[in-house]
Amino acid sequence: MAEPLTIITDSREQRELDFSRFKGVATIRQGLKTGDYSIAGFQNSYCIERKSVEDLVSTLIGGHERFLRELDRMRDFDEKYILVEHTPTILFNYCRNHGWQRKFDTIIQSLLAYACHYDVRVRFCKDREDMAQYIVKKSREYIEKKGGQDGEKAETNEN
């Protein structure tokens, strides 16, 4: 059975993801200094920044100094993610529909540069359900790696 997991949603998150269908997952809403989602007890070492296609485009082509400050705050985190809500195809179509085909290349290049420079994982999720599932999976993996949500290593019996 999976260990209980408490996901924190930042109090400023406007379109909160729904984790209610996942067994053993509790959610709380509170202010996070960095990111939109974290794990209770690991707010300073694990974070997820969620971006809708519209938000990603406006962030990266409309002056992204605030976003860069967020990435700077993430620098010392063990694990950090930028999750984009929808596929690259949807992002491309959004840019094309607004006459920004060239900006699509710039956005992808920026995401690749951030992945390298800030050591942040970038992932496109096909929809909000896929994103919630990915967050639960990665959060559970992180807790397992850290030895539990209370931060203490699980005891092992060695013979």
Side-chain angles (χ1 to χ4, degrees):
M1 182 174 157
E3 204 172 317
L5 168 67
T6 302
I7 294 176
I8 301 172
T9 302
D10 184 59
S11 56
R12 295 166 297 218
E13 179 71 349
Q14 294 177 8
R15 293 189 60 226
E16 179 176 356
L17 293 170
D18 180 13
F19 298 99
S20 64
R21 77 173 191 86
F22 300 99
K23 288 188 174 206
V25 176
T27 57
I28 57 174
R29 244 178 117 75
Q30 71 181 47
L32 291 171
K33 292 180 193 169
T34 305
D36 297 315
Y37 296 91
S38 189
I39 304 168
F42 296 100
Q43 298 93 311
N44 295 317
S45 61
Y46 179 90
C47 74
I48 295 168
E49 177 68 24
R50 181 194 66 83
K51 290 289 186 195
S52 67
V53 165
E54 298 84 2
D55 187 23
L56 180 69
V57 171
S58 68
T59 296
L60 297 185
I61 67 171
H64 56 278
E65 293 78 21
R66 192 175 111 205
F67 187 58
L68 292 177
R69 286 192 302 272
E70 180 110 18
L71 291 172
D72 276 333
R73 286 193 305 272
M74 289 181 192
R75 196 178 292 278
D76 293 330
F77 281 46
D78 294 339
E79 287 190 23
K80 55 240 177 209
Y81 299 85
I82 299 170
L83 299 185
V84 181
E85 201 174 295
H86 292 305
T87 64
T89 301
I90 290 174
L91 173 61
F92 176 79
N93 289 335
Y94 179 85
C95 290
R96 186 184 62 202
N97 291 341
H98 287 83
W100 302 328
Q101 291 93 320
R102 288 189 185 148
K103 294 190 191 271
F104 173 79
D105 291 340
T106 301
I107 290 166
I108 297 299
Q109 290 171 3
S110 294
L111 289 173
L112 290 171
Y114 298 152
C116 293
H117 185 72
Y118 294 98
D119 191 30
V120 63
R121 297 174 188 177
V122 177
R123 184 175 192 273
F124 286 84
C125 299
K126 66 180 178 180
D127 55 29
R128 292 173 61 78
E129 181 61 30
D130 181 45
M131 185 176 284
Q133 187 172 349
Y134 186 76
I135 290 172
V136 169
K137 176 184 178 217
K138 288 302 181 182
S139 297
R140 284 186 170 144
E141 288 173 2
Y142 185 77
I143 287 174
E144 189 174 311
K145 182 169 69 174
K146 289 297 185 179
Q149 191 151 9
D150 62 6
E152 294 180 9
K153 292 282 180 199
E155 290 183 18
T156 58
N157 292 326
E158 295 181 21
N159 294 345

